[in-house]
Structures are given as C-alpha cells and as structure tokens.
Amino acid sequence: MFKLNGDQTTRHKIAKEFADALMALPEKIDCLQSMEVGLNENPAEEWDVVLTAIVPTMADVEVYAKHPDHVAAAAIVGPHKAGRACVDYEI
C-alpha cells in the first residue's frame, strides 16, 4: 500500500498514473503472473493505492522488484510517497 503527499486531487492524479504503469507490467515481466491495483475512493482513509502482484516464488519477488520497468513505475510514485506498507507471503 502507498500513502501519497499532497492534496486529494494531486494524490489521485499520481495514484492513477502509478496504477496505469503497474498494470502494464505483467506483459513486460515474465515472472509476474498477475497484477491488481486499487485506488482509494474514500476520502476519509489515509492510504491511496493498494496493489497485489502474483509471482511464482519468493525469489521472483526480487526479480520483479529489480526489473527496469518496475523501477520506472516506482519512480512515478517515489517523490510523492509519504508511506509504504508491504507484505510478501506464499500461498
């Protein structure tokens, strides 16, 4: 999950740009089986973006994280990031 800086309009704009970049990743990263991205619709909540990325193994988490297209997507949100929460787990 990501919490962004700025007013609600700015946060939503950045979140949408970030989400669009993330949703393009399954076609670009072989180990990324699927990606789901949600944008917060409730102004009473603090977090702006949630994502679920499915990869076959825990080792693939690192492959995904270091892939140049993922790094480029992360750069969209980087300057606006107020917080990040992450859980990596096996199914």
Side-chain angles (χ1 to χ4, degrees):
M1 293 191 319
F2 293 85
K3 185 185 304 185
L4 305 177
N5 292 313
D7 62 43
Q8 186 175 357
T9 301
T10 300
R11 290 186 351 253
H12 188 76
K13 178 181 176 276
I14 297 303
K16 175 72 171 113
E17 186 179 344
F18 183 44
D20 290 345
L22 289 171
M23 291 306 295
L25 294 180
E27 295 178 12
K28 299 176 180 181
I29 303 175
D30 290 337
C31 68
L32 186 55
Q33 295 175 331
S34 68
M35 172 73 71
E36 182 178 329
V37 181
L39 302 183
N40 181 40
E41 301 283 332
N42 183 351
E45 296 297 336
E46 296 181 9
W47 295 87
D48 298 290
V49 181
V50 63
L51 72 96
T52 301
I54 306 293
V55 295
T57 69
M58 289 303 293
D60 288 320
V61 172
E62 188 171 345
V63 172
Y64 158 72
K66 291 183 177 182
H67 191 281
D69 289 311
H70 175 262
V71 172
I76 293 168
V77 79
H80 308 280
K81 186 171 54 177
R84 176 181 174 273
C86 179
V87 176
D88 294 326
Y89 60 95
E90 291 188 33
I91 308 176

